[in-house]
Amino acid sequence: MRWLKGLLLAAILLVVLLLGILFAVNNQQALPLNLIWVELPPASLSLWLLVALACGVLLGMLAMTGVYLRLRTLLTRAQRHNQQQRKELDRLRIQEFKEIP
């Protein structure tokens, strides 16, 4: 089953890579990028789109860092609480067996 998942992932990755290459080949015209306050030098459209994608991914990861850290802290706290509850349960079970004579 694991090899099937790897094979499927490899096939999807190959299709995405081929589509990316096809996109880059079909969009080679040089365009200057005007960002209102500055005009960047001409570069291929595919390069500008890949740069925008990379910036978006990085900003998304940065935005999710706070949520990730908060959830990680909550998980650690819940695991600690769970461990304390298990110890208390074990203690009560042992105490119950001692009282049953």
Side-chain angles (χ1 to χ4, degrees):
M1 187 58 106
R2 195 174 212 190
W3 64 271
L4 183 62
K5 182 180 176 184
L7 185 65
L8 183 62
L9 185 62
I12 291 171
L13 184 64
L14 183 65
V15 168
V16 169
L17 183 65
L18 289 174
L19 285 174
I21 291 172
L22 182 66
F23 177 77
V25 168
N26 286 330
N27 291 296
Q28 290 185 356
Q29 61 271 24
L31 299 172
L33 186 61
N34 187 353
L35 297 175
I36 299 175
W37 62 88
V38 65
E39 185 167 329
L40 298 174
S44 69
L45 178 61
S46 59
L47 176 67
W48 289 127
L49 290 175
L50 287 174
V51 168
L53 175 67
C55 289
V57 167
L58 290 175
L59 286 173
M61 289 172 61
L62 183 64
M64 288 304 296
T65 300
V67 173
Y68 173 78
L69 291 175
R70 182 175 54 87
L71 289 175
R72 190 74 179 162
T73 304
L74 288 173
L75 176 63
T76 304
R77 192 176 300 154
Q79 287 174 338
R80 193 177 315 123
H81 182 69
N82 189 13
Q83 186 178 16
Q84 290 172 352
Q85 295 295 324
R86 285 182 189 270
K87 285 181 183 179
E88 178 70 18
L89 182 60
D90 289 340
R91 188 183 64 75
L92 289 173
R93 284 180 180 161
I94 290 172
Q95 183 180 1
E96 180 180 316
F97 284 132
K98 288 181 180 177
E99 293 176 356
I100 289 183

